[in-house]
């Protein structure tokens, strides 16, 4: 049973802590956070111990795997440190906001031979897994057009925006990964445009809150992704894939399945209030896949290469947003 340490006791760290504690194949040992009190509180809630130093965490005699859910600017250092001592890693995206540094860190980890997985959790969504199965089976023929929607319910704080890398690197990157995974192809070009409609102040961070991105796949197939930081109706996420012989879609999720009929009106349940409520089950599923890879000795996926390729698309999209031109994706 792999012995785990969790790095990061913030919101997403608390999600991972609950899943680590609940997984029957995990020995959840340690929690580390720069805020010692926060680490102690989270560890106590899940039967783990709060580590007082990183030396405790990166000790292969005590820990077999680390879950990196700390602030983005620490991911690369933690990944490199784990790899150096032979500890497996499940890492929140991105490896690092600087693509060159991310590549250097990934190369170091790959050379070390440790098992590493990037937590693009949406791949573990039940509906998206079915889309993948249908596409791979050839049921809809050759993929010609993919449409993805990612519309969040509310603006994150500007303090978050300041360190997130921007909408395309933070929000849309999940859908760059899904586009690659679902199509089995690496986009060759990208065009992005965007506006600051929900929060005009976001322009001070060279960012947008409403964007549309077009990716061109090898052979000419297209991908369209619209991303919105604020809606007036809940969290809206969906995917449609059109092929030469048919179409398959994963529709938006409602928070219930009740319809109310009165006179000439039909009132249905609405959408989930936030992104987390929509994707919550995927975090446990991703952890389960990583643990299975550890037990089986295989290569976990999404891989470091997957993480780097999604990030490369995001960088090309950011460049396009600023240049106003179609930009090549440089892997």
């Amino acid at each position: 049973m792999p012995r785990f340490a969790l790095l990061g006791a913030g919101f997403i760290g608390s999600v991972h802590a609950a899943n680590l504690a609940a997984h029957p194949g995990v020995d959840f040992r340690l929690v580390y956070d720069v805020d010692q009190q926060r680490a102690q509180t989270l560890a106590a809630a899940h039967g783990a111990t709060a580590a007082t130093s990183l030396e405790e965490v990166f000790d292969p005699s005590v820990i077999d795997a680390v879950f990196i859910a700390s602030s983005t600017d620490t991911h690369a250092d933690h990944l490199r440190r784990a790899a150096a001592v032979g500890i497996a890693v499940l890492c929140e995206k991105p490896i690092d906001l600087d693509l060159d540094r991310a590549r250097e860190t990934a190369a170091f980890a790959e050379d070390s031979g440790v098992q590493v997985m990037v937590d693009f959790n949406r791949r573990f969504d039940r509906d998206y897994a079915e889309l993948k199965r249908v596409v791979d089976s050839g049921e809809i023929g050759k993929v010609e057009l993919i449409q993805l929607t990612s519309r969040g319910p509310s603006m994150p704080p500007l303090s978050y925006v300041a360190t997130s890398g921007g909408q395309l690197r933070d929000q849309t990157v999940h859908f760059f990964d899904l586009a690659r995974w679902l199509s089995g192809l690496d986009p060759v070009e990208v065009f992005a445009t965007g506006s600051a409609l929900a929060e005009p102040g976001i322009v001070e961070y060279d960012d947008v809150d409403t964007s549309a991105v077009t990716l061109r796949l090898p052979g000419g197939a297209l991908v369209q992704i619209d991303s919105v930081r604020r809606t007036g109706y809940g969290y809206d996420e969906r995917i449609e894939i059109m092929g030469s012989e048919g179409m398959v879609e994963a529709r938006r999720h409602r928070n219930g399945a009740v319809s109310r009929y009165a006179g000439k009106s039909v009132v249905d349940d609405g959408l989930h209030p936030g992104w987390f409520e929509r994707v919550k089950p995927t975090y446990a599923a991703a952890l389960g896949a990583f643990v299975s890879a550890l037990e089986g000795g295989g290569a976990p996926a999404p891989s470091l290469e997957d993480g780097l390729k999604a990030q490369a698309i995001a960088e090309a999209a950011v460049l396009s947003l600023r240049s106003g031109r179609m930009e090549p994706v440089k892997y």
Side-chain angles (χ1 to χ4, degrees), residues 8 13 26 31 89 110 112 138 150 156 159 161 169 182 235 241 243 274 287:
V26 165
V31 177
V89 178
E110 288 171 347
S112 76
S150 169
S159 58
V161 170
R169 295 187 182 103
L182 290 168
Y235 183 70
I241 306 174
L287 173 63

Side-chain angles (χ1 to χ4, degrees), residues 112-126:
S112 76
V114 299
Q115 292 166 289
V116 182
M117 175 173 150
V118 178
D119 195 24
F120 277 126
N121 55 294
R122 280 171 173 79
R123 289 195 186 195
F124 299 91
D125 182 272
R126 182 185 63 184

Side-chain angles (χ1 to χ4, degrees), residues 2-5 20 26-30 63 65 287 290-291 294:
R3 302 163 297 177
F4 268 80
L20 286 165
V26 165
D27 180 0
F28 183 23
R29 291 280 183 96
L30 298 174
I63 296 297
L287 173 63
F290 180 64
V291 172
L294 294 181

Side-chain angles (χ1 to χ4, degrees), residues 34-85:
V34 291
D35 183 333
Q36 184 65 20
Q37 183 58 55
R38 190 163 65 172
Q40 290 174 351
T41 299
L42 187 61
H46 297 288
T49 300
T52 57
S53 70
L54 288 171
E55 284 70 24
E56 292 181 63
V57 171
F58 296 109
D59 180 352
S61 69
V62 177
I63 296 297
D64 303 303
V66 294
F67 200 142
I68 300 175
S70 48
S71 60
T72 298
D73 60 351
T74 67
H75 291 185
D77 288 340
H78 291 335
L79 174 55
R80 180 179 285 269
R81 192 163 178 176
V85 295

